[in-house]
Amino acid sequence: MSWSEYDDEGPGAPIDEHMPDSPASSPWGEMRSTGAELQANRPKPDYPDPEPLDSHGPARIVALCNQKGGVGKTTTTINLGAAIAEYGRRVLLVDFDPQGALSVGLGRLDPRELELTVYNLLMQRDVAVEDVLLKTDIDGLDLIPSNIDLSAAEVQLVGEVAREQMLSRALRPVIDDYDVVLIDCQPSLGLLTVNALTAADGVIVPLECEFFALRGVALLMDTIQKVQERLNERLVIDGFLGTMYDPRTLHAREVLATIIDGFGDKVYGTVINRTIRFPDATVAGEPITRFDSSSAGANAYRGLAKEVLARWPNSGHA
């Protein structure tokens, strides 16, 4: 099945006919009978536009983390960051994945041609964060890029003193210049991700509405708890975000219901539907809010931005 068949603005995709009709024969146990009720009773998000700011900073640092790849971390980092910037916040995006997908998807950069990246910021004492910062075409949105060099940091950091705090120290000089810092983590729970969690105030966990996306969540939660206990007492889970959701398929509805049942109010009311417009925007090197400003995807991330800001402590400032 092609991606275009899942376009939430195009013709309806068929309901998944391979799922059994009987709750007893479903691998989800009784989830089929309870999923509809969970979603029906869930309050619909309706948050006001954030108030304008009189000043900026200090930033709330948020890591977008999930060790499973392909769940929408980079897409969410780009589009949530752009949507928050639309509301007058100063936003810094940190590409903390050696694949450099955030750098490519936001500015059509060739990571191989970058002279300075987050790797240099971490590993070279003579490189300051201002040397690495790149302005984007979006007002109020800046980027610290990455490339394959960052993969070497995982090994090189092992011998460093306080190796888990390298990113935190690197970002410290610009915290007062921004309202929000979003860190796009690599799909692993290695030392780079631990660095991001140690630097962060909160974690957003994107979860694809597909069964295999739920596997390994317990391991992620265990890692977050260990960082809370040993490295960063202020770290909290801001929320779980359902992504790549297709409400026309029974499977997606059951997975979302499972997420809501497991994490309750920590699950954002905003859900990101699957649509072809996201990969189109990535190819164009633009956030969906600019590439197709009136699309359902753009409006979903604007809604998420309002919800995220409203949920944060001191949200009037952040």
Side-chain angles (χ1 to χ4, degrees):
M1 183 173 288
S2 68
W3 279 85
S4 60
E5 291 179 66
Y6 281 101
D7 191 342
D8 64 0
E9 296 166 332
I15 296 297
D16 190 346
E17 298 174 351
H18 300 289
M19 296 294 291
D21 292 330
S22 169
S25 62
S26 171
W28 304 93
E30 297 180 355
M31 200 72 257
R32 173 159 316 198
S33 60
T34 60
E37 289 87 345
L38 274 171
Q39 296 181 58
N41 296 329
R42 196 176 183 215
K44 301 298 182 184
D46 185 18
Y47 295 92
D49 289 352
E51 294 292 331
L53 296 181
D54 297 325
S55 61
H56 297 285
R60 181 174 180 83
I61 303 176
V62 178
L64 284 92
C65 184
N66 191 327
Q67 76 270 30
K68 186 181 184 301
V71 299
K73 291 188 298 293
T74 300
T75 297
T76 296
T77 304
I78 292 173
N79 294 301
L80 176 59
I84 291 175
E86 280 190 356
Y87 293 117
R89 274 58 180 169
R90 294 201 63 194
V91 181
L92 174 63
L93 305 185
V94 180
D95 190 345
F96 216 49
D97 185 344
Q99 298 179 71
L102 176 64
S103 304
V104 174
L106 184 62
R108 290 174 289 182
L109 299 173
D110 184 346
R112 297 169 299 180
E113 297 180 356
L114 294 171
E115 294 185 6
L116 294 175
T117 67
V118 69
Y119 168 79
N120 305 95
L121 179 61
L122 291 179
M123 306 307 303
Q124 297 176 217
R125 293 185 178 181
D126 60 339
V127 175
V129 64
E130 293 84 0
D131 300 327
V132 183
L133 271 173
L134 297 176
K135 299 292 183 181
T136 73
D137 294 335
I138 310 298
D139 289 341
L141 188 66
D142 295 340
L143 168 69
I144 293 179
S146 174
N147 62 17
I148 194 63
D149 292 346
L150 185 60
S151 60
E154 192 106 39
V155 176
Q156 294 172 332
L157 284 173
V158 170
E160 294 287 336
V161 175
R163 57 185 178 270
E164 299 92 353
Q165 299 171 1
M166 297 290 282
L167 180 61
S168 179
R169 290 198 299 271
L171 295 177
R172 196 172 298 150
V174 295
I175 292 303
D176 289 338
D177 298 331
Y178 294 93
D179 302 301
V180 180
V181 176
L182 300 179
I183 306 172
D184 182 26
C185 298
Q186 66 173 344
S188 83
L189 295 178
L191 187 52
L192 292 179
T193 297
V194 171
N195 255 267
L197 294 174
T198 303
D201 300 296
V203 185
I204 292 176
V205 182
L207 288 172
E208 180 186 4
C209 293
E210 194 270 339
F211 172 69
F212 288 108
L214 298 178
R215 297 172 62 90
V217 172
L219 183 59
L220 171 61
M221 300 295 288
D222 184 57
T223 299
I224 292 172
Q225 183 178 2
K226 287 179 179 177
V227 172
Q228 288 172 324
E229 293 173 351
R230 304 175 187 179
L231 296 167
N232 181 7
E233 293 182 352
R234 72 181 186 281
L235 181 66
V236 298
I237 296 176
D238 283 343
F240 296 85
L241 173 67
T243 64
M244 303 182 188
Y245 179 61
D246 187 345
R248 298 163 294 195
T249 66
L250 178 60
H251 182 76
R253 297 197 301 273
E254 287 185 329
V255 171
L256 181 59
T258 303
I259 296 170
I260 296 169
D261 188 48
F263 300 110
D265 291 341
K266 282 292 185 180
V267 181
Y268 290 111
T270 305
V271 178
I272 308 301
N273 284 13
R274 191 185 291 272
T275 169
I276 193 63
R277 303 308 281 166
F278 289 128
D280 286 347
T282 299
V283 171
E286 295 182 337
I288 190 73
T289 50
R290 170 174 285 194
F291 177 78
D292 192 352
S293 181
S294 61
S295 66
N299 290 328
Y301 273 108
R302 291 189 185 102
L304 178 64
K306 291 193 290 185
E307 183 173 5
V308 163
L309 291 172
R311 284 185 175 213
W312 282 344
N314 303 317
S315 59
H317 182 73

